[in-house]
Amino acid sequence: MDMRFFSVQDRKFVALIVLSDHNEFDAMEVAEIFDGGLRGELLLEFRLDSNSARLSTIGPEVEIPLLRASLEIFRQEFLAPREAAGLPCPQW
């Protein structure tokens, strides 16, 4: 598991990157980070398998700037490396 920290509109978030050997999909979870490093509830979850890339969870009141920033991290962490390696990618 890897983590990417990022900020959107003066709020701090973490993207947890889960590359799985035993699940049928890879995932990225996004949560807000509060003072003291406390992780908030799950806001977004993206899943990627050999056939699809999808947003499987979206919390209430997720603002568009957070969704856009999260999509860019998902693209960088999951799709770009597959494309660079010549591996098949689901439609994006």
Side-chain angles (χ1 to χ4, degrees):
M1 180 166 42
D2 195 13
M3 291 189 282
R4 293 249 325 246
F5 294 92
F6 63 104
S7 296
V8 176
Q9 297 177 328
D10 296 326
R11 293 169 59 192
K12 296 177 183 173
F13 298 92
V14 63
L16 302 169
I17 314 300
V18 181
L19 302 176
S20 180
D21 290 332
H22 42 281
N23 287 332
E24 295 180 8
F25 59 86
D26 295 332
M28 183 179 91
E29 298 177 352
V30 176
E32 190 166 4
I33 296 293
F34 298 103
D35 290 337
L38 297 175
R39 181 181 163 199
E41 64 184 57
L42 178 68
L43 297 173
L44 299 165
E45 181 180 9
F46 297 86
R47 290 188 178 184
L48 175 75
D49 60 29
S50 58
N51 298 317
S52 67
R54 62 191 175 279
L55 177 59
S56 61
T57 301
I58 185 166
E61 304 294 323
V62 170
E63 296 178 359
I64 298 299
L66 172 59
L67 181 58
R68 291 179 70 198
S70 299
L71 281 167
E72 180 58 20
I73 292 170
F74 183 76
R75 186 194 67 72
Q76 291 171 2
E77 293 290 333
F78 291 90
L79 300 175
R82 286 177 182 251
E83 290 172 351
L87 298 172
C89 285
Q91 194 168 12
W92 177 247

